[in-house]
Amino acid sequence: NLDDMKVPPESLEEVIRDSSPEAWARASQDKAALEGHERWIASAGKEGGPAVLDGADIRSLAGLLAGRKLTGLLARKTVGVEMDFSGSELQAAKFDGADLRGANFSKADLRGVSFKGAKLAHARFDGANLGALKLGDNNMLAPDLTDAEVSEQQLQAAIRA
């Protein structure tokens, strides 16, 4: 018990803890949101709806995020440590303030993604497309890594055209 050890709570702020029972209970709801999001993408907005996972612990979705069509996903301030997003289409997704340490974004389409303030230490970006996303009005949406915890070395193998 941490109370017995007299560990001050502020010293545990950056510690990765196990997923809570609430996060596991929410897993089926989050999975349904992802499925609805893919229907929304495939139907050009006529079916389903955008998935909003803001603030969620998405580790209960392990094995369900690779290779998915999740353009525009809202996952701000999520906990997705060690999650596998490889090969996913995540154009214009918002991961602002998310904890994605050790996540795998290899070969993902990350054009126009926002990782503002995200924790990305040890995340992998091999072959990921971190270029600008061309919008319908001929504007470009560049990826945003403002204040993200990520090294240039991590991004070396990403495509940035």
Side-chain angles (χ1 to χ4, degrees):
N1 185 329
L2 291 175
D3 293 332
D4 296 338
M5 296 174 62
K6 297 183 177 27
V7 175
E10 60 274 6
S11 67
L12 299 175
E13 284 183 19
E14 299 295 317
V15 172
I16 300 169
R17 300 177 188 189
D18 290 338
S19 294
S20 68
E22 293 82 16
W24 286 101
R26 183 181 152 148
S28 61
Q29 176 185 341
D30 290 344
K31 183 180 177 194
L34 292 174
E35 291 165 355
H37 190 97
E38 285 187 306
R39 283 194 314 279
W40 180 65
I41 297 296
S43 70
K46 293 182 176 97
E47 297 176 28
V52 179
L53 302 176
D54 292 346
D57 183 338
I58 59 172
R59 292 176 291 172
S60 59
L61 300 174
L64 300 176
L65 296 171
R68 306 274 309 246
K69 294 182 184 205
L70 300 171
T71 301
L73 177 69
L74 297 176
R76 295 168 289 217
K77 297 187 178 180
T78 59
V79 177
V81 175
E82 304 258 321
M83 295 299 293
D84 184 4
F85 294 95
S86 63
S88 288
E89 296 178 19
L90 294 162
Q91 307 92 324
K94 304 284 186 232
F95 290 104
D96 301 344
D99 189 345
L100 299 165
R101 291 177 276 182
N104 183 2
F105 291 100
S106 299
K107 297 185 179 174
D109 189 343
L110 300 174
R111 291 174 296 149
V113 73
S114 181
F115 285 119
K116 287 190 279 191
K119 296 176 185 172
L120 296 166
H122 307 289
R124 296 182 304 282
F125 295 92
D126 300 341
N129 187 343
L130 273 167
L133 178 64
K134 185 176 180 182
L135 303 174
D137 57 4
N138 273 341
N139 285 325
M140 302 293 275
L141 178 63
D144 192 344
L145 293 158
T146 304
D147 297 324
E149 294 175 14
V150 63
S151 70
E152 187 58 38
Q153 184 177 4
Q154 285 174 262
L155 303 174
Q156 280 181 339
I159 301 163
R160 295 197 199 167

